Amino acid sequence: MMIPILKKSDYETIKALIEGIHPTQRTKEVGTLQSELRRAKIVEDDKIGQNVIQLGSYFEVREITSKRQLCLTLTLPGEANLQEQRVSILSPLGVALIGFQKGKEFEWQLPAGKRTFIIEKVTSPNTEPVQ
């Protein structure tokens, strides 16, 4: 099992976000995200790798079987907007990807069943995307 890598500021932001959610509003994803936080490796902000998905990262993932590609940015819930390809940290995909690196494969449960994806590209929030 892969250990997610989180920069300290993202860890604190996500932890505060979860703590602010009323217990009756907590979804399965919130519980999974809490588990991910507990097992994550926390690093100083300036020590996070450029290829690690963090809050604000743009990333491209490809479903291995269908070759379907998703190009998204990971955001806080209030900034999420699927029309703008902005996915929430509290979404199943956001929970699955936070802290993982380019080149890693992961499984994601879709309505049609479990699928395997590979992370093909990550652009950190503090760098300009390469066109």
Side-chain angles (χ1 to χ4, degrees):
M1 187 179 260
M2 295 185 295
I3 303 290
I5 302 166
L6 296 177
K7 64 182 182 183
K8 198 172 189 176
S9 64
D10 278 3
Y11 173 80
E12 297 297 337
T13 299
I14 296 165
K15 193 172 164 207
L17 175 70
I18 291 171
E19 287 170 359
I21 298 172
H22 192 275
T24 60
Q25 303 293 309
R26 294 195 179 187
T27 61
K28 184 180 106 191
E29 286 74 34
V30 172
T32 304
L33 187 56
Q34 277 183 304
S35 298
E36 291 290 284
L37 287 183
R38 279 194 289 274
R39 63 187 201 88
K41 178 181 176 187
I42 311 302
V43 299
E44 292 301 322
D45 285 19
D46 60 354
K47 301 280 191 269
I48 192 87
Q50 295 295 305
N51 62 351
V52 176
I53 296 177
Q54 50 195 299
L55 285 174
S57 288
Y58 167 83
F59 61 90
E60 296 175 8
V61 296
R62 183 174 308 278
E63 203 262 309
I64 289 176
T65 309
S66 72
K67 308 280 191 248
R68 192 178 78 154
Q69 188 177 41
L70 298 171
C71 304
L72 300 164
T73 300
L74 188 64
T75 68
L76 291 171
E79 301 164 2
N81 181 328
L82 284 180
Q83 281 76 32
E84 297 174 7
Q85 282 80 43
R86 298 171 65 80
V87 64
S88 168
I89 181 64
L90 295 181
S91 70
L93 183 60
V95 172
L97 286 175
I98 185 77
F100 292 119
Q101 299 175 314
K102 176 182 172 182
K104 297 288 185 189
E105 288 186 10
F106 67 97
E107 288 188 337
W108 184 30
Q109 185 66 45
L110 296 170
K114 195 173 275 188
R115 299 284 187 262
T116 303
F117 290 80
I118 186 164
I119 303 168
E120 294 193 323
K121 180 179 180 180
V122 178
T123 303
S124 297
N126 55 359
T127 58
E128 289 301 311
V130 178
Q131 298 300 328

